[in-house]
Amino acid sequence: MENIKFIPRDEIETHLEAARRIAEGFESRGMVGDSAPGYYIQTFGCQQNEADSERLAGLAKLMGYRAVSSPDEASLILVNTCAIREHAEKKALSIIGEYKHIREKNPELIVGVGGCMVTQRHRADKFKMSYPYVGFTFDTGAIHLVPSLVLKVMQKKGRSFVISDEYKIAEGLPTVRREGGAAWLSIMYGCNNFCSYCIVPYVRGRERSRLPEDILAEARELIAGGAKEITLLGQNVNSYGRDLDCGETIASLIKKICALEGDFRIRFMTSHPKDASEELLEVVATEPKVVKHFHLPVQSGSSEVLRRMNRRYTAEHYKAIIDSLKEKMPDISLTTDIIVGFPGETEEDFEATLEMLRYVKYDMIFSFIYSPRIGTPAAAMEDQIPAEVSGARFKRLLSLQDEICEERNRRFVGRRVKVLVEGVSKSDGGMLTGRGDMARPVHFKGDESLIGSFAELEITSCGSYSLEGKLI
Ligand code: SAH
Ligand code: SF4
Ligand code: F3S
């Protein structure tokens, strides 16, 4: 197991010690309980970032800060950024821009920016030069450093812009989990796939798997703490364990977690089709605790586009995995990611993507217009697609999928389903939102005390985007 790289425990401890020193400073000034200074964390991007933000929150708490619900009330603002598309970066930059005004009112405010955007050298440099009120930036491998970076700013020892040479696993950081019974569990970090459009391998480093015993210990802790749903996270969970050389695979890991006692269920994401093993499909089909939902990003229905995307599977191979899933689980919910307007995408290529939608009949798709990312091969490809062409294709894609969604949702009407009650509905405060095996959330009337537990519902109606049900 020599090739696994962990940050040594004593190094982690140094930074946790810095956190405790900060907390002692607040304590000595009576800044505890309701008088403790506030922290606010703004998170962009994927579930991996949300899981990282839970660790940032854990560190902020250890530093003696208390969670506040608006940046205006905060003494520490941490922003966890995303770089996946231009839009994600723009949004983060504009919000960080607004923090300037809060800082003008409160010169003691500490602002730190982390995540995928500032793991790119040109972005970190930009913050150094043009955002004097940002005290530090930290890359995706430097979360454990945050207390020391905060301390440095407090002691007026200067600003920091951390970009590591190497990304290691930081075990043993405190966390503040989200509410509602569903929990993230990162099982691995980084990505080795270098899809030609994607920035992730450049900002998350190489694949590194956590040890099975660490993952199982965390799963046990989550279940004991009342978690009803655990989502295993990784950029490509299908290659879990490859760097460990201990024979563990995503399938064997899921089986071990399922064997833990308790009333909980398991999801996982994301699965790269090139590594989707028959063994994994079998585990999903046979383990009652695994949710019968498979998120399998296809990106394009054209094998030629897939080749240029460096996805390393063909449309036919992808369809064969779908066939196998449907054969094992005729009612399975399938979801995917699609990129429209990849360089060189012809009308025919795009038609093949529409054809893929009709073939698979996804419950839901996450679709994106291609966004060139600096430093990726696709950004330098010829035949970049004009925005109006991508935009028009994107609309056609959505309108086809709307029809499919409705058709797929209709199969649930009249059925009884078991959902995990996640919280109050975002669109209608009088309703609760729950999630079952289907990809779509279900809205229903019920008491807020149900949040975080399972409920039995009968589905009463549906649209393209939502399902409604009633408690049985
Ligand atoms: N590791 C996961 C998710 C990666 S990011 C996976 O492999 O599926 C989530 C999605 O963002 C990708 O699946 C892809 O559809 C989209 N995406 C990534 N880079 C993009 C880019 N440059 N432009 C548009 N969409 C992109
Ligand atoms: Fe990006 Fe591809 Fe890695 Fe997913 S598998 S994170 S799309 S490079
Ligand atoms: Fe964004 Fe980084 Fe996730 S680029 S999508 S936050 S891995």
Side-chain angles (χ1 to χ4, degrees), residues 46 84-85 191 195 197-200 234-236 270-272 295 297 299 311 337-339 366 368-373:
C46 63
I84 201 80
R85 286 168 290 274
C191 180
C195 302
Y197 49 80
C198 185
I199 196 72
V200 172
Q235 292 302 339
N236 175 18
T270 299
S271 261
H272 195 304
H295 181 63
Q299 313 299 357
R311 289 290 285 180
D337 293 351
I338 305 267
I339 296 178
F366 300 88
F368 312 100
I369 292 179
Y370 168 72
S371 169
R373 308 282 67 210

Side-chain angles (χ1 to χ4, degrees), residues 39 50-51 53-59 61 67 174-178:
Y39 77 83
E50 288 182 25
S53 286
E54 293 184 347
R55 295 194 293 162
L56 289 172
L59 290 170
K61 196 175 159 200
T175 48
V176 172
R177 309 269 180 190
R178 62 180 167 148

Side-chain angles (χ1 to χ4, degrees), residues 38 53 61 136 153-154 166 186 210 221 278 282 285 302 324 340 353 423 429 436 439 455:
S53 286
K61 196 175 159 200
F136 58 92
V153 175
M154 281 179 166
E166 214 182 1
S186 296
R210 292 179 68 197
E221 192 187 305
E278 197 53 29
E282 204 52 52
S302 152
S324 175
V340 174
T353 299

